[in-house]
Amino acid sequence: MDYRITHLKQLESEAIYVLRETAAQFEKPVLLFSGGKDSIVMAYLAKKAFWPAKLPFPLMHVDTGHNFPETMEYRDQFVKDIGAELIVASVQESIDQGKVVEETGVNASRNSLQTVALLEGLENGQYDAALGGGRRDEEKARAKERFFSHRDAFGQWDPKNQRPELWNVFNGKKHHGEHFRVFPLSNWTEMDIWQYIKLENIALPELYFSHERDCFIRNGVIMAVTEFTQPQPEETVEKMQVRFRTIGDTTCTGANISSASDLNEIIDEVAAARNTERGTRADDKRSETAMEDRKKQGYF
């Protein structure tokens, strides 16, 4: 058997084991689903893990209200196709209720506001475990996570107080009010994700493939012109051939110049890339510890 296929099947087996352990150890888990490639693969694996039964947990989307239309269309169709229940935690509702204050200015983003909507969504549903698609190669703060990552009663994460996970024995014990974030894709890389998508022929949002759209450059990041991201007078709009390596809030998600229009070309492009996929995320450029600071506050 091809080494790459064997490697992917080992990762698949590990992720399915973690998903089943989550269903076994926790009373009410939920799977966070953004419509991005990692959460798509995680939900796909969950379907495999519990087939032919339905998923034993719902999907939750923390909606900033500033999503790409293509992402929202894909999300709704995907949820329908796998027969899952979808719960939406809305950042706009948090703003309307005065629980968070929206940023203002040219570089304003709702990305950091997701924390309140996420924690409120978990509390309202009384979920004791939230499955996320984070990978250790994705960002340095995420490399500090365990498969079962403990959160206190305030949803906060302490990177210095992580539980050992020897021989894939996971400890889900918690006090009342606490919960866990679970990362079945911890040992996957971006390349593994793309090769698995190709192996399993998983459909993706069109944003991941090369296409032409109006863009402008802000702080070295290629931004798509959308309802929520408008160029300033000094920023020139050009038609560019781009694709997105990550999909998130339009106000902080940058594009890459690319002609990769199919999975084989994307895999070749990722193999040759010298920058990380989050290198185009404007929110990660705010400080050296931007992601870790948000995670300590309860972000995923």
Side-chain angles (χ1 to χ4, degrees):
M1 182 180 288
D2 189 303
Y3 164 75
R4 288 169 296 179
I5 295 177
T6 303
H7 170 67
L8 293 173
K9 287 300 181 181
Q10 288 175 336
L11 290 173
E12 177 189 70
S13 178
E14 178 183 66
I16 286 175
Y17 171 70
V18 174
L19 286 160
R20 289 173 176 167
E21 277 292 297
T22 302
Q25 291 199 39
F26 297 101
E27 294 181 8
K28 201 173 181 184
V30 65
L31 187 150
L32 296 191
F33 185 80
S34 67
K37 64 184 184 306
D38 298 324
S39 64
I40 291 168
V41 167
M42 182 171 60
Y44 178 88
L45 287 164
K47 181 181 177 182
K48 269 196 168 187
F50 302 104
W51 179 265
K54 284 190 172 183
L55 294 186
F57 38 70
L59 273 55
M60 178 187 287
H61 179 211
V62 181
D63 182 8
T64 67
H66 288 174
N67 298 285
F68 289 98
E70 297 95 328
T71 306
M72 302 301 283
E73 291 170 11
Y74 178 92
R75 180 200 73 178
D76 295 340
Q77 187 61 50
F78 181 88
V79 170
K80 180 180 178 181
D81 289 344
I82 68 171
E85 175 190 358
L86 177 67
I87 296 161
V88 178
S90 171
V91 171
Q92 184 63 56
E93 286 185 9
S94 298
I95 294 170
D96 294 342
Q97 295 167 5
K99 295 175 180 176
V100 294
V101 178
E102 187 161 18
E103 294 180 4
T104 58
V106 176
N107 296 310
S109 171
R110 289 185 174 184
N111 209 41
S112 63
L113 306 185
Q114 292 181 89
T115 299
V116 172
L118 168 61
L119 293 176
E120 190 170 65
L122 295 176
E123 184 177 356
N124 290 342
Q126 295 296 296
Y127 299 113
D128 55 355
L131 290 150
R135 309 185 321 269
R136 287 175 183 162
D137 75 319
E138 188 179 0
E139 203 278 338
K140 56 189 176 184
R142 287 182 169 166
K144 300 179 182 180
E145 295 277 17
R146 298 288 193 266
F147 280 100
F148 278 26
S149 185
H150 174 264
R151 296 300 197 270
D152 65 19
F154 298 100
Q156 296 175 323
W157 172 65
D158 181 1
K160 296 181 180 179
N161 187 27
Q162 295 283 292
R163 298 178 178 181
E165 293 180 337
L166 307 176
W167 305 289
N168 277 359
V169 176
F170 305 129
N171 181 0
K173 292 184 178 179
K174 62 188 181 340
H175 295 296
H176 180 72
E178 297 177 341
H179 70 275
F180 277 76
R181 309 290 171 87
V182 182
F183 300 97
L185 306 182
S186 286
N187 286 332
W188 296 57
T189 65
E190 183 186 9
M191 179 62 80
D192 294 329
I193 292 291
W194 283 114
Q195 290 182 334
Y196 187 76
I197 288 169
K198 179 185 174 184
L199 179 67
E200 297 291 311
N201 195 28
I202 302 172
L204 293 174
E206 289 302 315
L207 291 168
Y208 280 117
F209 301 93
S210 179
H211 59 285
E212 187 178 74
R213 68 166 61 219
D214 290 337
C215 300
F216 60 94
I217 298 176
R218 176 176 294 165
N219 299 326
V221 177
I222 300 172
M223 305 297 295
V225 176
T226 70
E227 177 186 355
F228 312 108
T229 50
Q230 293 293 317
Q232 295 299 295
E234 68 277 9
E235 294 171 334
T236 303
V237 175
E238 300 178 47
K239 284 199 177 295
M240 300 183 185
Q241 199 74 20
V242 300
R243 77 174 191 87
F244 293 85
R245 286 178 73 182
T246 65
I247 293 179
D249 189 296
T250 60
T251 62
C252 62
T253 303
N256 287 87
I257 299 293
S258 173
S259 60
S261 58
D262 61 35
L263 290 174
N264 288 326
E265 291 176 350
I266 288 175
I267 289 170
D268 289 343
E269 184 178 272
V270 170
R274 289 297 174 265
N275 62 318
T276 67
E277 61 186 304
R278 291 191 69 91
T280 56
R281 290 297 293 265
D283 53 322
D284 286 350
K285 296 179 182 293
R286 294 192 173 193
S287 76
E288 283 293 318
T289 59
M291 173 64 80
E292 185 160 332
D293 292 341
R294 294 200 300 275
K295 286 172 69 67
K296 287 178 180 177
Q297 295 166 2
Y299 184 72
F300 224 91

